[in-house]
Amino acid sequence: MKEHVDLQQKWEETRMKHIFVGIDLHKRQHVAVFLNGFKRKLGEFKFDNKPNAFPLLLQEVKKYLKKGMKAIYGLEDTGGLGRALAVYLVEQKQTVKEVNPALANGVRKANPIARKSDEWDAECVGSVLVDKLESLPDANPIDQYWVIAQLVTTRTAIANEHRILVNQLHAQISHHYPSYRKFFSELDGKTSLAFFERYPAPHHLDGVSVQELREFLLVPSNYACSLKSAEKILNLVHEDGSTKRNYQEDRDFIIQSHIRRIRTCKEEMQAIEERLVILMKDTGYKLDTMYGVEVVTAASFVAEIGSIGRFSNADKLANFSGIAPVLYGSGDKHKHYKCKQGNRALHELFYRLACRQIGTKRGSGEPNNPYYYEYYQQKLAAGKTKTQAIICIMRKLVDVIYALMKNKTEYVMPAVQMKQAG
């Protein structure tokens, strides 16, 4: 009880010694609202989103600072529109907190009268800053992590474009080659793309012998194409019959255009991955020593988490990821529910990693990670649903990723101990 009173007293003293600055971020102009420790609005200030205007904010804040007082700044987006401001404030030795947009939105919804303005949004951010100061992570916009995040975002956009192009290519190829799925294992593979670029429609194969087709496919297939494979393709084309139609040249052009763009996407993704390998090595993290974590996944974790020093323990990282359960209750009835807030991108990364751990290898059927596979089976036997069991694994993985980043160590596969997997 005494500890609780001491903490409360300490918090009251902290509130009295600080000015809380909530900032609503925009592309061209930011809006700051100044609050005291009791959330009373002291003033507001608009300034341009450019480095030369940032010192004006500090000058404005000084007007509200009394002797011995300091300012604490709250920003919703320290990796995008607010990154330049966050970098400047951190360089000026200011305290900057990252405010989850869901928290600020909760303040807006709690207001009995719906309001919408830049000033009100900034005040909501400031209100969260006052109430949640102890639990908010510090903004730490390190250039190294920011570059990794930008590369991951760029690769994700290219990967989405690549997926759309491949789907479109499937649709175009199916009109020309009804049996095309039996030609190659992957439509966007090197051999497949070479074939359909050279022969976008069956009539281009007229007069081409099995030996000629094999010789053409030898190089793109790394000399793996056999006479049998070439013969199979020509037989399937013959069985399908003629698909030549009006405007065939335009239809061929569409296919070849898709192939050129798919190649470009793959080349760009490869170039980005090569850069990520170098950048990830510089971080000192060894996340890729764990099964299911290759360079892109490792970089994605770093992009979303940033500096692990922002989180004092794994529990806070779990809360940030939206993995920790939420307690709902009234009276003597309480129940934990799945959290639907937090960083959803990070939540998805942990979900996919958990699924990889409990998967099995093709052919042998051996678990990818025996420890988590056994843990998953035990949770199912205990009455958990598949989703609940996976969430339990995700929470364990938060501890693992936190430890690997905190200590910069390699992953060590834990021994499978049935009694300790609970």
Side-chain angles (χ1 to χ4, degrees):
M1 184 69 179
K2 184 176 183 301
E3 288 185 7
H4 177 73
V5 173
D6 291 342
L7 289 173
Q8 184 67 27
Q9 184 177 359
K10 183 179 179 181
W11 169 229
E12 290 293 337
E13 292 175 355
T14 300
R15 290 205 304 177
M16 295 297 294
K17 293 179 180 179
H18 288 85
I19 293 296
F20 299 85
V21 184
I23 303 176
D24 186 44
L25 305 165
H26 292 278
K27 185 181 295 184
R28 295 184 177 84
Q29 192 176 61
H30 300 326
V31 178
V33 167
F34 313 117
L35 305 177
N36 64 14
F38 301 99
K39 295 192 286 188
R40 184 171 69 84
K41 184 176 178 181
L42 304 177
E44 60 187 54
F45 181 67
K46 293 183 178 181
F47 58 102
D48 292 335
N49 181 18
K50 56 184 181 181
N52 287 340
F54 297 159
L56 300 177
L57 173 63
L58 297 183
Q59 294 176 16
E60 188 69 18
V61 170
K62 286 182 180 179
K63 297 178 181 179
Y64 302 93
L65 293 176
K66 297 179 180 179
K67 186 176 181 179
M69 296 183 70
K70 295 182 179 180
I72 299 178
Y73 299 81
L75 286 73
E76 281 187 331
D77 182 11
T78 59
L81 296 176
R83 184 178 186 278
L85 176 60
V87 169
Y88 172 78
L89 292 174
V90 170
E91 288 176 347
Q92 297 300 314
K93 310 300 182 183
Q94 301 296 313
T95 301
V96 185
K97 294 290 185 176
E98 187 171 332
V99 178
N100 191 316
L103 296 175
N105 191 45
V107 175
R108 296 184 191 97
K109 291 182 178 180
N111 194 61
I113 300 177
R115 298 165 61 185
K116 179 59 182 173
S117 68
D118 295 342
E119 293 78 8
W120 172 238
D121 289 344
E123 187 171 344
C124 290
V125 173
S127 181
V128 172
L129 190 60
V130 175
D131 292 335
K132 305 287 186 180
L133 178 63
E134 295 299 318
S135 61
L136 294 177
D138 292 329
N140 196 10
I142 300 174
D143 287 339
Q144 184 183 36
Y145 299 138
W146 182 75
V147 170
I148 290 174
Q150 295 302 301
L151 286 172
V152 169
T153 300
T154 302
R155 188 194 177 281
T156 299
I158 297 173
N160 289 335
E161 182 184 358
H162 173 263
R163 176 180 51 80
I164 292 172
L165 287 170
V166 171
N167 288 338
Q168 292 176 345
L169 184 59
H170 272 288
Q172 295 296 327
I173 293 291
S174 64
H175 295 307
H176 295 188
Y177 292 96
S179 301
Y180 77 98
R181 291 183 181 274
K182 300 178 182 178
F183 293 4
F184 308 98
S185 59
E186 294 180 348
L187 181 59
D188 64 334
K190 190 175 180 180
T191 310
S192 178
L193 293 179
F195 173 83
F196 289 115
E197 184 178 38
R198 178 72 172 270
Y199 309 108
H203 69 273
H204 294 289
L205 286 166
D206 292 345
V208 176
S209 66
V210 173
Q211 182 62 35
E212 289 174 332
L213 180 58
R214 176 179 179 270
E215 289 179 359
F216 170 71
L217 295 177
L218 277 177
V219 174
S221 67
N222 291 324
Y223 295 91
C225 182
S226 63
L227 282 171
K228 186 177 180 180
S229 298
E231 184 178 13
K232 175 185 175 183
I233 292 174
L234 292 177
N235 287 339
L236 288 170
V237 171
H238 178 72
E239 292 173 5
D240 288 341
S242 176
T243 58
K244 188 174 183 180
R245 296 291 183 270
N246 293 331
Y247 304 101
Q248 187 62 52
E249 287 187 10
D250 299 303
R251 297 170 64 195
D252 293 349
F253 174 82
I254 293 172
I255 289 177
Q256 292 168 335
S257 174
H258 276 70
I259 291 173
R260 288 192 294 269
R261 293 159 66 193
I262 288 173
R263 280 207 185 101
T264 299
C265 287
K266 297 182 77 170
E267 290 170 359
E268 289 298 317
M269 286 191 290
Q270 179 62 32
I272 290 174
E273 290 169 18
E274 290 173 358
R275 286 184 173 271
L276 286 175
V277 168
I278 298 172
L279 289 170
M280 287 302 296
K281 186 177 181 180
D282 291 341
T283 65
Y285 297 139
K286 300 178 178 64
L287 299 180
D288 56 353
T289 57
M290 183 177 190
Y291 178 85
V293 181
E294 28 66 52
V295 64
V296 175
T297 302
S300 298
F301 273 114
V302 173
E304 295 300 331
I305 295 173
S307 172
I308 196 65
R310 299 167 57 208
F311 305 96
S312 58
N313 54 56
D315 290 337
K316 290 191 175 182
L317 178 58
N319 288 328
F320 180 74
S321 308
I323 294 174
V326 179
L327 178 64
Y328 283 84
S330 179
D332 58 352
K333 295 183 179 179
H334 298 84
K335 190 174 182 181
H336 285 92
Y337 286 89
K338 177 183 177 182
C339 179
K340 296 183 179 180
Q341 297 179 337
N343 185 312
R344 303 319 292 174
L346 192 54
H347 187 280
E348 179 68 14
L349 285 171
F350 278 113
Y351 175 80
R352 292 181 180 179
L353 183 57
C355 291
R356 291 170 188 164
Q357 302 308 305
I358 62 176
T360 56
K361 296 179 173 62
R362 291 182 181 179
S364 65
E366 295 180 359
N368 295 329
N369 190 318
Y371 175 79
Y372 287 110
Y373 181 82
E374 291 295 338
Y375 180 78
Y376 177 70
Q377 297 302 325
Q378 288 183 29
K379 286 298 179 181
L380 293 180
K384 297 286 188 183
T385 66
K386 291 182 178 180
T387 299
Q388 290 171 335
I390 290 176
I391 292 176
C392 292
I393 294 175
M394 291 167 64
R395 181 60 187 85
K396 278 183 168 291
L397 289 172
V398 171
D399 292 339
V400 173
I401 296 298
Y402 182 85
L404 293 180
M405 294 182 69
K406 187 77 172 179
N407 304 318
K408 296 187 176 182
T409 54
E410 295 185 1
Y411 176 74
V412 178
M413 183 85 70
V416 179
Q417 299 178 1
M418 302 292 289
K419 293 182 180 180
Q420 295 182 10

